[in-house]
Amino acid sequence: MSAIVEVRRLNKSFGSVAALSDVNFRLEPGKIYGLLGRNGAGKTTLMHLLTAQNFATSGEIRVFGEEPYENEKVLSRICFIKESQKYPDTFRVKDVFQAASEIFANWDWEFAYSLAEDFRLPLNRLVKKLSRGMLSSVGIVVGLASRAPLTIFDEPYLGLDAVARSLFYDRLIEDYGENPRTVILSTHLIDEVSKLLEHVLVIDGGKLILDEETDELRGRAYSVAGPADKVEAFAKGKRVIHREPFGGLTSASILGSGTGTDREEAARSGLEIAPVSLQQLIVHLTRTDRPSGQGRE
């Protein structure tokens, strides 16, 4: 299967600051990817490189098998919805849609109007007069109705309430099922989107620290809680990625399946064992205050 995106030995520096260091990955057709990490980790830099809005310091980027820079054939198949999307001051909402329809070959007007109604967008209002939530909704409509083979959403829902965000997730997964394409969601609301994501890429400090199927990650860690001495005895020799004391008790998050003999051992010690969510796992792996020997693999 041909990859939609291939990145090899990618590096990007701004002066003496390394924004990305030796990043390697590939994106397959027809998958929803989560691009996750803390603010400043390098996610936006990577998206700008994939969409030819910046140059790599070194390394190789192929999108649809070709270099994206100044390549209209490639760029016309990418829809990149930024966190702070800018439009001309004279544009109304319907002007944004008209411009998008002229750029994206798969644009669906019927779907766009349906989405605009869902998000209660006033088509004749100037974009610069929109609230932050409505501006995010405009980007969401463009991203979905473009049906671009590679669609990238960078924190697409700033200013949206929980109901509107849920509507975005529902419309995305419904249309993706009928019109498969490769989607990248860059977000900090990991728990909200975790059910949508099929594969996760995690960047921390400019390095790619996770590149795995979501189903595999969901079973990667578990937590045990109970008296501190018993938790420490249980955790000995295991890969602890987080500890949280409270009174005389402690909770420890541990890399591993947390099944079989681990559960039996925890039960004998009177410890509570529970799964670690995808968001908790990523938070623990990217914490800056981890003790030595914890965290990154």
Side-chain angles (χ1 to χ4, degrees), residues 70-100:
E70 293 188 342
N71 188 331
E72 183 61 25
K73 176 184 171 184
V74 169
L75 296 178
S76 65
R77 301 174 70 192
I78 303 173
C79 182
F80 179 25
I81 302 302
K82 299 180 184 180
E83 172 187 340
S84 53
Q85 196 81 29
K86 302 294 184 184
Y87 303 99
D89 285 347
T90 58
F91 266 37
R92 296 162 294 178
V93 172
K94 64 183 182 182
D95 296 325
V96 174
F97 295 169
Q98 180 61 44

Side-chain angles (χ1 to χ4, degrees), residues 8 42 45 48 97 107 110 126-127 136 150 171 190 206 224 277:
R8 300 189 185 98
T45 297
H48 283 170
F97 295 169
W107 178 264
E110 183 178 354
L126 288 171
V127 174
S136 292
L150 175 58
R171 294 295 177 269
I190 301 170
V224 291
S277 72

Side-chain angles (χ1 to χ4, degrees), residues 203-220:
I203 294 182
D204 187 35
K207 297 182 178 181
L208 188 67
I209 64 168
L210 280 178
D211 179 5
E212 295 191 31
E213 296 291 294
T214 309
D215 286 344
E216 295 176 5
L217 278 177
R218 288 193 180 102
R220 282 281 300 278

Side-chain angles (χ1 to χ4, degrees), residues 107 117 144 176:
W107 178 264
E117 185 174 342
L144 293 177
Y176 169 77

